[in-house]
Structure formats: C-alpha cells, structure tokens
Amino acid sequence: MTTLTALAIATSSVAASRQPAIKLINRLAQIQKQGIMIGHQDDPMYGCSWSWEEGRSDVKEVCGDYPAVMGFDLGDMELGKDKNLDGVPFDRMRKEIVKQHERGGIVTLSWHSNNPVTGKNAWDVDGDAVSKILPGGKLNKKFNSWLTMVSNFILSLKTADGKKVPVIFRPWHEMSGGWFWWGEGRCTTEQYKKLYRYTHDYMMRHGCTNIVWAYSPNLADQTETVEHYEKYYPGDDVVDLIGIDIYQRAEHSNAQYQGWLRSELDVVKKVGENRKKLIALTETGYNNIPDSTWFTQALLPVLKEYPICYVLLWRNAWDNPTENYIAAPGKPSEQDFKEFYKDPKTLFVKDIK
C-alpha cells in the first residue's frame, strides 16, 4: 500500500482492492477538517440504567444525537461464543454496526482476545503466548482458526444490498503496557511486529478489504518520545491510523491528565505528519466523572489543539454501576455534556452525514 498523500491513499493495485477501507480513510480525512468526532464504546447496547433495549443510547438521551463513532469489542469470539467478554451478543453487535453505518456513523473494533496458552482472559500474561501462535509455534494452527472467525465476522458486516461496511480495527492495542499477553515484557518488539503483520496479512488474504488498520499504544511511563511511541510500530504498509489510549483516574488532577494528553498527542501528531497517517485519541475517559465540568473544561480544550479525527470514550457498564465514562441522564456531568455537544468542534452523527 502506498502511504497517504494529504491523508488520502493514491490509486494503486493494492488500493483498488481496498475500496471500502479507502473510502472510509478519505472520509475520515475530510471530516477531520470539520472537527472531532465523539465516540462511545458499546453505545447502543446498554447504559448506566438499562441494557439490551433497542433504540436506546445514553448519549442520545442526553443530547438528542448518537455519537459519531461507536466502539465494539470482539473478545471471546475466538472461543466460538455467541456473546463477547462484556455480554454483548455478536448477532446484535452486527446489527448495530450496520445501523450505525447506515445512519452515517463510524465504527471501531478492538479485540481483547483470550490467552491462547492458558485459556484465561487477555489480562493473563503467562505462557509466552506470542511466540507460540506465530508461524512455527505449536499454536499457530489454533491462532489461524481465531483469525478466520474474526475475519468471517468482519466480512459479514454488510448492508442490505450486500456492500461491505468499513470499520476501524485496533488489534493488539496498548502493547506498550505490560497488562496484556501481547504487551511489553510478554514478547519482543520484533515478535509483536510479526504478530501485527501476520494478523493483517492473514485477514487481508481472507478478503477483509473493509478494514482501516489502527495502531494504538498507551500512555508512556515517562515523557513520550517518537522513538518510544514507534517502538512496536509494524510498518506504514499495514497501518492507516495511529492513536493513543489515555485515561484519567480519581487520584489524578485535571491538569495532570491534560499534561499527559498534550505530551502524547504532541508525539502522535508529529508521527502522523511524518508518516502521513490519520491520528485519533483511540480510548479515553474519566471513570464516574466526579467533575461536573470535565467534558468542557478538561477534555475539550486539549482536543481543540490537535487535528485528531475522533476520540473514543469508554463504556457505561450495564453490569457495573461504578464503571461509566460518558454522560447519562441524571449524572452530575449531564448538563456539561450538553454544552460539550453544542460546541462547533465536537461532531456527532447528525454533523457528519
């Protein structure tokens, strides 16, 4: 694949085979000129006070519009289950992805896959898993079957007239932290790059021309540098969009969070310019949002400083009242989120049709 020129892919034989993805890449580049798309994980599936009711959304019930970006996770699909690790039925997920596409929105997918060695969740780091699933490893055949299941799901995302729905896919995210079996200290940098490239090549051979490929490390332990950010970067030919995952915690001040955002986004912006890639804040949020003006006073001022195409806020957990990352009716941040919505730089579905 040729690199992005002015954030658009040039015509080539490879590009021609990726038309669904390329259309989305070019659309993201155009929307980025308008403002920043606001996203929410599992938005139409459940909220702070409800679950599985169709047509509902905490974001929509606060501001009257759906988020421009919806995130979903494929974890547990590789085990052949009918629901993901958060209890979301994959059939319903497919339905909501197509709905979001048809209303003009964007979809991003992550994959918290289980540890292929131990059979435990993605946060179990035992077993030297990456080396065992790469070619030559004893679990490579098993991993191929996982990739086939994920590929088949992504290929099943089609409109009524049979057109593929393009999605942003973030495999093996937050690799610069040590909490996932594919992360820092769990494999070498070269093994990680091979894992990402192998995933890309396998799924592309399987026909997944509707994937926009994303690379998203997490907040660095020290001041971020280009060298550190690119430590696991698998190559321009397999990445379309780059981002960063950063959360604020209760023990952190708004000023500290803003400092982290600027430190990371300065580097992401520089790498994006150098490599001609789209950039995004691929995960963020403040759990339970105790600050009633957090969206307009902490998050928005920093977002406006950078040419990011979207920000994804994490989920409002239906099964855990202590886990919510976006405004909902009756929450302290409800009124502030309405002001956040009104700002010309924040984009929701109605803004990007």
Side-chain angles (χ1 to χ4, degrees):
M1 182 182 71
T2 57
T3 57
L4 288 165
T5 301
L7 294 176
I9 293 186
T11 302
S12 69
S13 59
V14 176
S17 71
R18 294 188 65 206
Q19 279 308 305
I22 290 165
K23 286 181 180 179
L24 177 54
I25 291 169
N26 289 336
R27 186 179 178 218
L28 291 171
Q30 289 301 313
I31 292 172
Q32 182 178 293
K33 297 174 184 177
Q34 297 175 238
I36 301 158
M37 292 187 292
I38 306 304
H40 186 211
Q41 183 74 6
D42 282 345
D43 181 80
M45 301 298 191
Y46 49 78
C48 289
S49 62
W50 60 277
S51 59
W52 319 123
E53 298 173 50
E54 295 199 28
R56 295 197 65 177
S57 155
D58 277 353
V59 170
K60 187 171 185 289
E61 289 172 19
V62 168
C63 64
D65 198 358
Y66 286 106
V69 177
M70 289 183 181
F72 302 98
D73 195 87
L74 306 180
D76 281 2
M77 178 175 287
E78 71 279 0
L79 303 182
K81 294 185 177 181
D82 60 358
K83 297 179 181 179
N84 80 352
L85 74 169
D86 294 316
V88 177
F90 290 115
D91 285 346
R92 173 75 183 277
M93 187 186 297
R94 180 186 296 108
K95 183 177 180 180
E96 294 294 348
I97 288 171
V98 174
K99 278 185 180 180
Q100 173 70 349
H101 173 73
E102 290 178 338
R103 68 172 64 101
I106 311 295
V107 170
T108 178
L109 301 175
S110 51
W111 183 20
H112 288 86
S113 70
N114 288 264
N115 185 315
V117 176
T118 67
K120 298 179 181 178
N121 65 30
W123 292 265
D124 182 75
V125 298
D126 293 334
D128 192 23
V130 174
S131 69
K132 291 180 172 65
I133 61 176
L134 289 171
K138 65 180 183 180
L139 296 180
N140 179 246
K141 185 176 180 180
K142 178 180 182 178
F143 184 53
N144 288 346
S145 71
W146 286 13
L147 292 177
T148 297
M149 283 187 273
V150 170
S151 297
N152 288 343
F153 178 80
I154 290 176
L155 288 172
S156 75
L157 304 174
K158 294 181 179 179
T159 58
D161 58 359
K163 293 181 180 177
K164 293 179 182 177
V165 174
V167 295
I168 300 165
F169 183 40
R170 294 190 303 130
W172 320 125
H173 68 300
E174 298 179 9
M175 77 301 294
S176 51
W179 44 85
F180 294 132
W181 57 260
W182 58 83
E184 176 79 27
R186 316 306 171 186
C187 61
T188 67
T189 55
E190 288 308 309
Q191 285 174 328
Y192 176 85
K193 291 174 185 179
K194 287 178 181 177
L195 172 64
Y196 192 107
R197 296 185 67 87
Y198 185 83
T199 301
H200 171 277
D201 294 350
Y202 188 100
M203 295 179 71
M204 289 298 291
R205 287 196 304 271
H206 209 74
C208 294
T209 57
N210 53 329
I211 292 178
V212 172
W213 293 86
Y215 169 80
S216 61
N218 51 275
L219 175 67
D221 291 335
Q222 299 178 344
T223 302
E224 186 66 276
T225 64
V226 170
E227 181 181 19
H228 178 266
Y229 179 83
E230 293 186 331
K231 181 178 179 180
Y232 292 95
Y233 189 71
D236 287 339
D237 57 329
V238 294
V239 173
D240 303 305
L241 178 151
I242 63 172
I244 192 74
D245 293 3
I246 309 171
Y247 286 88
Q248 182 169 348
R249 304 299 181 192
E251 64 270 23
H252 306 141
S253 67
N254 286 352
Q256 186 178 33
Y257 171 69
Q258 289 178 320
W260 288 340
L261 285 178
R262 290 187 174 102
S263 174
E264 293 290 347
L265 290 174
D266 282 345
V267 171
V268 174
K269 179 175 180 284
K270 184 174 183 179
V271 174
E273 290 172 346
N274 291 343
R275 296 187 177 277
K276 298 181 173 60
K277 303 295 180 183
L278 292 159
I279 69 172
L281 182 50
T282 40
E283 281 186 38
T284 197
Y286 190 0
N287 194 17
N288 291 317
I289 322 168
D291 181 350
S292 62
T293 60
W294 184 80
F295 289 102
T296 60
Q297 301 304 309
L299 179 61
L300 185 58
V302 181
L303 294 183
K304 287 182 174 182
E305 297 172 10
Y306 298 91
I308 62 177
C309 56
Y310 76 88
V311 53
L312 181 72
L313 293 145
W314 206 241
R315 69 189 196 125
N316 285 357
W318 64 278
D319 55 348
N320 184 355
T322 66
E323 184 182 357
N324 58 88
Y325 287 92
I326 207 163
K331 293 289 183 178
S333 58
E334 179 181 6
Q335 188 57 44
D336 187 57
F337 194 81
K338 290 178 180 179
E339 297 304 313
F340 182 74
Y341 171 77
K342 292 175 185 176
D343 192 284
K345 289 294 288 185
T346 62
L347 305 178
F348 291 72
V349 159
K350 292 177 184 177
D351 300 313
I352 66 169
K353 278 192 173 183

